[in-house]
Amino acid sequence: STSQGLELQVISACVLGGCNYGWGDCNSDPADGCETSLQNTPEHCGDCASACALDHATSSCVSDTCRVQACDAGWGDCDHLAADGCEQSLSDDPVNCGACGQTCDGLPHATGVCVGTDCETTCDLGYGDCDQDGLNGCEAVLASDPDNCNACGTVCSFANAVATCQAGVCTMGLCTGGFNDCNADTADGCESDPRSDPQNCGDCGQNCTPAHAQGSCLNGQCSLGACDAGYDDCNGIKTDGC
């Protein structure tokens, strides 16, 4: 008989054990170890099989939890629950119009409808949305607002006078700055300055017209100017001119 030797060959190889906390072998390739962070990778958030895919949203992974990074246009995360993504349409909801909590319902003096994220208002009779901000309703009272008298943008203004709006009509009030309304024409407001107006010197109707002389008004007092040719002020009385 012959004896035959038996040779035993042992092959050694590295085998991937468990991954460190927060990491995963998501490509099943032991050569690169546990290559994926499970803390901040949206495609593998928390574990290799969990991908963040939130409705109407761009997703992110923060501390191994799916979060809403940004909502798609026209959508909002109004319940602040990441699990249902951006669940609220902002294009047609009267209480979340254009933004979460932005109401287009129950507005002052107006009926509001949410259309394409904008609040479109229909004003009650006698009111106007003059600041063009639908979210505060129709804020202008057209019957009494001097900046929007009877219509948005119609401004009541009179020269040197207080302007008011009464029953939707611009009305001139008291003169200001020492001026007078001597011609009773509101178109030019309070047109006369009694301190310097020779036709209304000191008050309406006091005309500085001395005989045969030029007159002027200084600080509300008539003053005698130059005499006409051939005349002179020989008596020294200013009121009877030259």
Side-chain angles (χ1 to χ4, degrees):
S1 66
T2 60
S3 66
Q4 183 177 4
L6 181 62
E7 182 178 340
L8 178 63
Q9 184 177 6
V10 178
I11 301 176
S12 298
C14 290
V15 177
L16 183 65
C19 292
N20 292 340
Y21 176 79
W23 293 86
D25 177 23
C26 297
N27 64 3
S28 301
D29 182 0
D32 56 5
C34 298
E35 81 292 341
T36 301
S37 171
L38 305 178
Q39 298 288 304
N40 54 25
T41 305
E43 295 79 14
H44 308 285
C45 191
D47 60 63
C48 289
S50 298
C52 296
L54 304 179
D55 291 342
H56 308 295
T58 299
S59 307
S60 64
C61 181
V62 179
S63 299
D64 72 23
T65 302
C66 290
R67 305 283 178 87
V68 174
Q69 179 174 329
C71 290
D72 295 344
W75 293 86
D77 179 22
C78 296
D79 63 5
H80 304 293
L81 299 176
D84 58 4
C86 297
E87 82 293 341
Q88 181 62 60
S89 171
L90 305 178
S91 300
D92 53 11
D93 186 347
V95 296
N96 296 285
C97 186
C100 292
Q102 191 161 266
T103 184
C104 189
D105 190 30
L107 301 175
H109 312 296
T111 301
V113 178
C114 187
V115 179
T117 72
D118 291 327
C119 185
E120 297 184 0
T121 56
T122 300
C123 293
D124 295 345
L125 184 65
Y127 292 87
D129 180 20
C130 298
D131 63 2
Q132 297 184 338
D133 181 4
L135 296 174
N136 66 357
C138 297
E139 80 292 341
V141 183
L142 302 180
S144 59
D145 187 346
D147 293 323
N148 301 284
C149 190
N150 197 49
C152 290
T154 301
V155 179
C156 297
S157 178
F158 299 95
N160 309 309
V162 175
T164 62
C165 178
Q166 298 179 8
V169 178
C170 287
T171 303
M172 189 175 82
L174 297 175
C175 294
T176 60
F179 286 81
N180 290 329
D181 177 24
C182 293
N183 63 5
D185 183 1
T186 59
D188 58 4
C190 297
E191 81 293 340
S192 174
D193 186 347
R195 294 159 294 192
S196 59
D197 184 355
Q199 305 300 317
N200 302 281
C201 188
D203 202 353
C204 293
Q206 295 186 8
N207 195 348
C208 293
T209 54
H212 311 296
Q214 297 177 5
S216 61
C217 181
L218 298 174
N219 296 320
Q221 299 293 325
C222 287
S223 177
L224 182 66
C227 292
D228 294 344
Y231 288 85
D232 206 344
D233 179 23
C234 295
N235 64 6
I237 301 174
K238 305 299 183 184
T239 55
D240 62 1
C242 298

